[in-house]
Amino acid sequence: MRRFKLLVGVGWLWFGLLWIVPNVGARDGTAVVTDAVTGILERLQRELPADQLVGLTVPQVEAFLNPAEREVLGARYIQLRVNVPVVVTIAQDARLGDDPFWLRERGFETAGGKVRLGTREYKVWTKAFAAGAIGLGVPSLSGHGSHYLAFLRPQEAGRVLKVTQLRPADLAVAPFVAGVAPYVDQDVRWATIPSELEGQLLVRMASNRVKLARLISLFYNTEYPATNRADQVLLTWSGDPRTTQTIQWRTSPAIQRGVARYQLKSDGADFNRLFTRSKPARTERLETRRLLNDPQINRHTVELKGLQPASTYLYSVGDGTDAGWTAPAEFTTAPAAAVSFSFVYMGDAQSGLDQWGRLLRHAYQAQPEAAFYLMAGDLVDRGDGRWNWDSLFANAKGVFDRRPLVPVIGNHECQGGEPELYLAQFTLPRNGPRGVTPGRAYAFEYSNAKFVVLDSNLEPATQTKWLERQLADRRPVWKFVSYHHPFYSAGANRDNAALRQAWEPLFDKYQVDLALEGHDHVYLRTYPMHDQRRVASPREGTVHVISVSGTKLYDLPEHDYTEVGFSKIPTYQVLDIQVNGSRLVYRARDVDGTIRDELVIEK
């Protein structure tokens, strides 16, 4: 591997004092870039035909940009001032090739050298700047790869470097030494760093802004456009599972009215007009402008209340006309008292949704008595792409319209920022923490079990007090908590220490039985854990499970907390809660029904 040469050797920083002045003034570069990207996307839709929009490439977008847009994307994202002439080094994810364009256009040079930072290779670009204002551009136009890193050093050794007016204001600077966290929004630290960069001043970036200026793969068509017939029929809970049931579906915008009709199954195997009740839907328009062949749909939601516990109902949805009804399906309300029950838990579906659908249907056929399905985040790959959600719902047909879905927000649901499509398509309990958008975190009870769903994309402190109130409830025999990012990660450099430090003491204090997680695309079940240590039995600690149900699969390194682990095998998990003897039987199965893991917990 070729090494690049620095103008000044290692250790320049220690020849003088490093003075970092607090951030001041100026409009945040993220806002400036976001405005520019919005304008570019609108102009692309006006000026290019649909078939070109779907297949846009980075070079095509570069050629499309006008001078003003190039200036914003190439120099207005990050702003700072330096008091002495400096050399700026950009370490750019080598997988990006020549993206972003501004490195070439603004005179950054590369000798072809690369450095390894963490687990990835970075291409190195350098440019000398005079004292004064420095502007840096966006991470990329593709939205791929890791966010670049920027390093500063004086052109003359021994000079005192002052950095002021660093924007965006949440960024930071720090000497680049072993153990530094390169990103302000991750707790990942690199134990070893290249000697060529050691001692330089690192601008600590926000890794979650890597897609800030993504301008390709944003326009798409869906394989499953809406029609005037109701489809994507989905059951969730937004109230008490014993007496309520929420039903959601979609139609084309031409259908402006939705109705659900329902009756107790015991009133007859077929709908009887004498007994059938009906309730009008709440209808809301959902617009996704970059979905070229189906930009607008209507989402219809009915929240049935006053139902009888432990009862099976037949239902159908439609527009209220005789020809507009779906075929009857059924749901069953939760029991009023403690009874034995089972549910299915699945990890990330995300990719290969057709294969995930096969696994889901196998679970339904093999475990028809399961009361509901819990999915621990990353249901889809592109949370801001409705085409991906359309595929999920199409492959879940025949299951989620008969058994409620209990969804958890993963990082992929937050693609593009806020999980807008997730929240628009799932009507969920509004009993979560104050200050957190309803539906991102919630809790419910089923039989003798308490289920707490958390959003691990948010700062854990936003949910900690609420979590403790939920877990402090002594009535439930069993306590399950589900969130996306694992306490005990299966992958290298994927530790979620902030979550573990904030929430695990509560798991220990209130005896959470199982933590149901995702994110790492392997199967891993920990030993029972208490105070971050292995304990003798589940009675003394919490068992953490990571699983994956889609086709995006990772390797599994060894960990001292792993009791059972394997990779490259999508699974679903069935949890049987038996009232007699207070016993839980847990089994993980693959698509062929083979048991891959089994655990019994008795209280």
Side-chain angles (χ1 to χ4, degrees):
M1 182 188 300
R2 292 185 60 187
R3 289 291 199 185
F4 68 99
K5 294 184 178 180
L6 299 177
L7 299 178
V8 179
V10 175
W12 64 267
L13 180 59
W14 315 118
F15 288 105
L17 297 175
L18 174 64
W19 185 14
I20 304 168
V21 180
N23 304 332
V24 294
R27 187 176 180 225
D28 195 313
T30 57
V32 174
V33 169
T34 299
D35 289 348
V37 168
T38 299
I40 295 166
L41 291 173
E42 290 175 350
R43 198 161 64 83
L44 283 165
Q45 284 190 276
R46 288 196 308 268
E47 299 180 18
L48 295 183
D51 59 342
Q52 289 187 29
L53 291 173
V54 173
L56 274 177
T57 65
V58 169
Q60 288 172 333
V61 171
E62 286 183 20
F64 183 82
L65 299 177
N66 63 37
E69 293 162 347
R70 299 181 92 86
E71 197 277 331
V72 170
L73 299 186
R76 298 282 301 280
Y77 168 45
I78 292 173
Q79 300 287 315
L80 57 89
R81 294 188 68 87
V82 294
N83 66 312
V84 298
V86 296
V87 172
V88 175
T89 298
I90 301 294
Q92 165 228 18
D93 192 327
R95 295 171 296 177
L96 294 177
D98 287 336
D99 181 20
F101 69 93
W102 57 269
L103 289 167
R104 306 184 310 275
E105 287 195 354
R106 297 189 54 207
F108 280 82
E109 296 181 351
T110 178
K114 295 179 181 178
V115 295
R116 179 166 290 276
L117 298 171
T119 60
R120 294 198 174 101
E121 283 192 336
Y122 288 74
K123 189 176 180 179
V124 178
W125 303 74
T126 60
K127 181 182 177 180
F129 283 84
I134 297 176
L136 301 177
V138 297
S140 72
L141 299 184
S142 66
H144 298 155
S146 299
H147 198 299
Y148 68 78
L149 297 173
F151 303 86
L152 309 173
R153 62 175 177 79
Q155 293 182 28
E156 299 179 25
R159 298 294 299 272
V160 177
L161 174 60
K162 301 177 185 178
V163 176
T164 61
Q165 300 181 24
L166 175 60
R167 306 289 293 181
D170 60 343
L171 303 187
V173 289
F176 191 55
V177 295
V180 69
Y183 298 110
V184 295
D185 58 340
Q186 290 186 2
D187 194 33
V188 174
R189 298 173 185 272
W190 292 332
T192 58
I193 60 175
S195 59
E196 299 93 331
L197 295 171
E198 186 175 9
Q200 295 202 31
L201 187 62
L202 168 69
V203 180
R204 299 180 59 222
M205 301 294 182
S207 66
N208 61 6
R209 295 192 183 120
V210 68
K211 301 181 185 297
L212 180 68
R214 183 166 68 100
L215 288 166
I216 66 168
S217 302
L218 283 174
F219 299 99
Y220 44 86
N221 293 314
T222 178
E223 293 183 50
Y224 308 98
T227 69
N228 291 350
R229 301 284 298 181
D231 68 354
Q232 295 187 0
V233 184
L234 169 74
L235 300 175
T236 61
W237 285 310
S238 55
D240 187 339
R242 297 172 298 182
T243 58
T244 72
Q245 182 66 70
T246 301
I247 311 169
Q248 298 122 106
W249 68 97
R250 72 161 185 177
T251 65
S252 73
I255 305 302
Q256 300 181 26
R257 177 175 180 257
V259 182
R261 61 179 185 176
Y262 61 105
Q263 70 177 41
L264 284 165
K265 188 174 182 179
S266 58
D267 287 340
D270 297 318
F271 276 120
N272 184 319
R273 291 183 181 274
L274 181 62
F275 295 106
T276 298
R277 289 170 280 178
S278 65
K279 186 172 182 179
R282 180 180 71 251
T283 298
E284 298 176 318
R285 182 66 52 88
L286 180 60
E287 181 173 8
T288 44
R289 294 181 60 192
R290 298 182 192 117
L291 183 55
L292 301 176
N293 66 334
D294 195 28
Q296 293 184 339
I297 60 172
N298 278 346
R299 295 284 305 180
H300 309 274
T301 303
V302 169
E303 297 179 71
L304 303 180
K305 300 179 181 180
L307 304 176
Q308 296 180 20
S311 299
T312 298
Y313 287 80
L314 294 172
Y315 79 96
S316 180
V317 300
D319 60 5
T321 66
D322 289 343
W325 298 105
T326 58
E330 65 181 51
F331 63 83
T332 301
T333 52
V339 299
S340 299
F341 74 99
S342 64
F343 70 95
V344 172
Y345 143 62
M346 306 178 86
D348 304 34
Q350 190 174 338
S351 301
L353 292 175
D354 54 342
Q355 294 301 309
W356 166 80
R358 180 174 170 233
L359 181 70
L360 178 71
R361 289 187 293 275
H362 179 91
Y364 180 72
Q365 292 163 5
Q367 306 292 330
E369 75 285 355
F372 57 89
Y373 286 71
L374 186 152
M375 295 194 65
D378 284 3
L379 285 72
V380 297
D381 186 53
R382 294 293 326 171
D384 60 350
R386 212 198 78 212
W387 64 273
N388 220 175
W389 290 105
D390 291 348
S391 180
L392 177 87
F393 293 134
N395 283 290
K397 184 178 180 180
V399 181
F400 290 164
D401 55 346
R402 289 168 170 77
R403 299 290 184 270
L405 170 65
V406 177
V408 178
I409 291 184
N411 55 295
H412 281 260
E413 276 71 62
C414 298
Q415 295 277 17
E418 291 296 311
E420 294 177 355
L421 286 178
Y422 176 95
L423 296 172
Q425 296 177 110
F426 297 126
T427 303
L428 301 168
R430 302 176 64 86
N431 59 1
R434 182 176 299 176
V436 172
T437 303
R440 297 191 71 146
Y442 57 94
F444 67 94
E445 292 182 21
Y446 194 101
S447 185
N448 61 349
K450 182 69 169 278
F451 294 83
V452 182
V453 172
L454 300 168
D455 186 348
S456 56
N457 298 282
L458 302 174
E459 287 294 327
T462 62
Q463 300 158 83
T464 301
K465 290 182 179 179
W466 174 81
L467 171 62
E468 180 160 20
R469 290 196 298 272
Q470 301 304 313
L471 297 181
D473 185 354
R474 296 184 180 277
R475 294 176 300 106
V477 176
W478 301 95
K479 294 178 182 177
F480 303 96
V481 183
S482 187
Y483 46 91
H484 185 60
H485 300 83
F487 283 7
Y488 297 97
S489 178
N493 297 317
R494 293 172 73 89
D495 189 31
N496 301 293
L499 293 174
R500 186 171 61 249
Q501 291 163 7
W503 294 344
E504 189 172 43
L506 300 179
F507 287 24
D508 295 342
K509 182 177 180 180
Y510 298 107
Q511 186 53 60
V512 170
D513 296 291
L514 281 169
L516 307 177
E517 306 158 338
H519 190 57
D520 284 345
H521 296 265
V522 299
Y523 182 89
L524 186 153
R525 174 168 61 82
T526 71
Y527 292 102
M529 303 296 291
H530 183 97
D531 193 23
Q532 302 188 43
R533 295 182 180 87
R534 173 182 171 182
V535 291
S537 77
R539 295 182 182 181
E540 303 170 52
T542 301
V543 175
H544 297 254
V545 183
I546 303 168
S547 76
V548 58
S549 57
T551 58
K552 182 180 179 182
L553 304 169
Y554 294 166
D555 293 325
L556 177 60
E558 292 185 4
H559 301 285
D560 57 7
Y561 44 74
T562 302
E563 182 164 11
V564 177
F566 49 82
S567 61
K568 314 298 185 183
I569 302 174
T571 62
Y572 68 90
Q573 289 62 234
V574 179
L575 290 84
D576 288 305
I577 290 83
Q578 301 169 3
V579 172
N580 295 331
S582 292
R583 191 167 183 259
L584 183 153
V585 178
Y586 164 102
R587 295 185 177 93
R589 297 178 183 270
D590 63 21
V591 71
D592 296 320
T594 303
I595 297 176
R596 295 286 182 167
D597 186 24
E598 187 170 8
L599 172 70
V600 176
I601 302 175
E602 294 181 328
K603 290 196 173 183

